[in-house]
Amino acid sequence: MPEPETGKPDAPAQPAHPHTATLKRLEQSSGSLAAQAIARMDETLPWYRAMPPENRSWIGLVAQAGIAAFTEWFRRPDAPQAISTDVFGTAPRELTRAITLRQTVEMVRTTIEVMESAIDEVAAPGDESVLREALLVYAREIAFATAQVYAQAAEARGAWDARLESLVVNAVLSGEADEGAVSRAAALGWNSPEHVCVVLGTAPDGDSELTVEAIRRAARHAKLQVLTGVLGDRLVVIAGGRNDPLAVAKSLIGPFAQGPVVAGPVVPDLLAATRSAQAAAAGLKACTAWQDAPRPVLADDLLPERAIASDPSAREQLVEEIYRPLEEAGAALLETLSVYLEQASSLEGAARMLFVHPNTVRYRLRRVTDVTGWSPSDVRSAFTLRIALILGRLADGDPQL
């Protein structure tokens, strides 16, 4: 009685491998080859010997996986294979941080050299050249796979670092900087420089990553540490390492778009950088009122514009750093400055109104400069002093101002 037909065609027979004997010997030798590769690494690579046992164990697994992947690749060289997954997928992601790309290349080279030295023993008679050529091609593929693994790790780390840096910059600008922000900054390589300032300006159009990288290049050239980011249309740079905010801004100004660039005052650390950021932001907002402002400009040079634009910190700074010291220095200085700025605008005119010699007025104005750091004879400084006088009188009349 004939067998019933199932309707399913017979599966095609797999073609015999052209180098069956060599493939079989390669499968049998994979364990010993891996052991030889690990022994060679222990003998020739000092960094391997110095690693913790756990990491050496993972590297051993990678070597074994590499030899096994070569065996499979030799079995089916035309089949699509993900060598990076076959070889490096056995190790945890943290291993790419534990060993450098150079060390990984040395590990792969050592393993390939061990396999190459064993070709005459592993290959069946007559297959030596075939196995050697296959190993050369596989070495090229494993080199590309190694580069891919580290490129992906670097890309992932770069994306994570960018998010982390954005969190730190946002925290500083919003006044929410705390020890957590300091820890995140430390993870990005920020080593807590003594002098910190914030520089603000308009971000250029285009790829923000290119702008950030340009800032980093300028910072490296100026030997500054920076945390930077593009927030909306603003380019924010937190810079550390120099006690001159104007020099810092000048060294980093290249990547900024056209428009004002404002440097906040120097503060001692990242936790205090919010004060510098707020001053720079207020200065950037008020800078349009000073059409001849230099580029870059210090936030402290914009104190009168900031005060008129309702910046409470600028008002307080003008009163505390100009008006109060003059008040404490004596009524004569305040009176002389007031008459000079608001009525006479000349030494002789002020002297006549005060019934004193012009040299007395000249001496008192020099004292004003010594006490405040602002010269009444300079037009810009005179404007700042006048705003400070107005705010001081308002504060005396209403302590809440």
Side-chain angles (χ1 to χ4, degrees):
M1 184 174 181
E3 293 288 337
E5 295 184 1
T6 61
K8 295 182 181 179
D10 294 337
Q14 292 291 335
H17 194 277
H19 307 285
T20 304
T22 297
L23 178 61
K24 185 175 181 181
R25 296 173 69 170
L26 187 60
E27 291 172 343
Q28 294 173 345
S29 303
S30 60
S32 62
L33 288 174
Q36 292 176 41
I38 294 170
R40 179 78 64 85
M41 280 186 268
D42 188 65
E43 177 185 349
T44 62
L45 303 178
W47 58 264
Y48 176 79
R49 294 193 300 271
M51 296 190 81
E54 181 182 6
N55 287 344
R56 290 203 304 270
S57 174
W58 282 119
I59 290 175
L61 289 178
V62 170
Q64 293 176 18
I67 295 172
F70 171 68
T71 303
E72 186 62 27
W73 183 85
F74 185 75
R75 184 196 311 276
R76 295 184 299 168
D78 297 329
Q81 298 182 37
I83 292 179
S84 61
T85 303
D86 292 341
V87 177
F88 297 102
T90 59
R93 183 177 300 176
E94 290 78 8
L95 192 62
T96 59
R97 299 181 183 179
I99 64 174
T100 65
L101 176 59
R102 178 185 60 81
Q103 292 170 339
T104 304
V105 170
E106 291 179 350
M107 175 189 72
V108 171
R109 181 188 293 119
T110 301
T111 305
I112 294 296
E113 288 175 351
V114 167
M115 296 175 66
E116 191 173 18
S117 65
I119 285 179
D120 292 337
E121 300 175 9
V122 174
D127 282 352
E128 292 85 357
S129 60
V130 172
L131 189 58
R132 183 171 288 105
E133 290 177 7
L135 185 59
L136 288 174
V137 175
Y138 180 76
R140 182 195 66 184
E141 296 298 323
I142 200 68
F144 284 127
T146 303
Q148 180 185 19
V149 167
Y150 276 84
Q152 290 173 344
E155 185 177 358
R157 179 62 187 267
W160 172 252
D161 285 354
R163 288 192 293 270
L164 208 60
E165 191 168 13
S166 179
L167 287 174
V168 175
V169 172
N170 268 307
V172 169
L173 256 65
S174 63
E176 298 175 356
D178 54 14
E179 291 298 336
V182 174
S183 297
R184 296 185 188 99
L188 294 167
W190 181 268
N191 62 6
S192 301
E194 294 182 357
H195 307 295
V196 179
C197 70
V198 176
V199 182
L200 289 181
T202 304
D205 296 331
D207 192 342
S208 60
E209 292 184 4
L210 296 178
T211 301
V212 167
E213 185 55 36
I215 288 288
R216 292 201 178 102
R217 285 198 302 270
R220 286 193 295 268
H221 181 73
K223 294 181 173 55
L224 294 168
Q225 294 185 57
V226 294
L227 298 167
T228 184
V230 175
L231 304 181
D233 62 347
R234 290 192 300 180
L235 175 56
V236 185
V237 183
I238 304 169
R242 192 179 299 178
N243 193 22
D244 185 348
L246 192 60
V248 169
K250 287 180 178 179
S251 63
L252 301 176
I253 199 170
F256 284 87
Q258 292 298 316
V261 175
V262 182
V266 169
V267 293
D269 52 39
L270 189 63
L271 287 176
T274 291
R275 179 158 53 87
S276 182
Q278 291 174 344
L284 192 63
K285 178 182 177 182
C287 201
T288 53
W290 185 10
Q291 294 185 348
D292 295 327
R295 184 178 186 270
V297 63
L298 293 175
D300 283 354
D301 287 343
L302 288 159
L303 282 174
E305 287 80 9
R306 290 166 52 194
I308 294 172
S310 303
D311 178 9
S313 64
R315 292 186 172 192
E316 180 182 358
Q317 191 172 344
L318 286 170
V319 172
E320 296 300 324
E321 295 184 4
I322 296 178
Y323 184 80
R324 297 301 178 204
L326 288 174
E327 191 176 44
E328 294 172 1
L333 290 187
L334 275 176
E335 182 184 20
T336 301
L337 180 62
S338 177
V339 170
Y340 177 78
L341 292 177
E342 300 175 9
Q343 299 185 43
S345 299
S346 71
L347 289 173
E348 291 76 10
R352 287 193 300 270
M353 297 187 70
L354 293 168
F355 301 102
V356 296
H357 194 277
N359 285 342
T360 302
V361 175
R362 184 178 291 107
Y363 168 76
R364 291 177 181 176
L365 294 181
R366 282 201 301 266
R367 286 279 297 137
V368 169
T369 302
D370 293 339
V371 170
T372 66
W374 300 84
S375 173
S377 60
D378 176 76
V379 175
R380 178 68 191 174
S381 295
F383 174 60
T384 304
L385 289 166
R386 189 167 183 177
I387 296 297
L389 289 180
I390 294 171
L391 292 173
R393 292 167 186 155
L394 288 172
D396 285 346
D398 184 352
Q400 294 183 352
L401 290 176

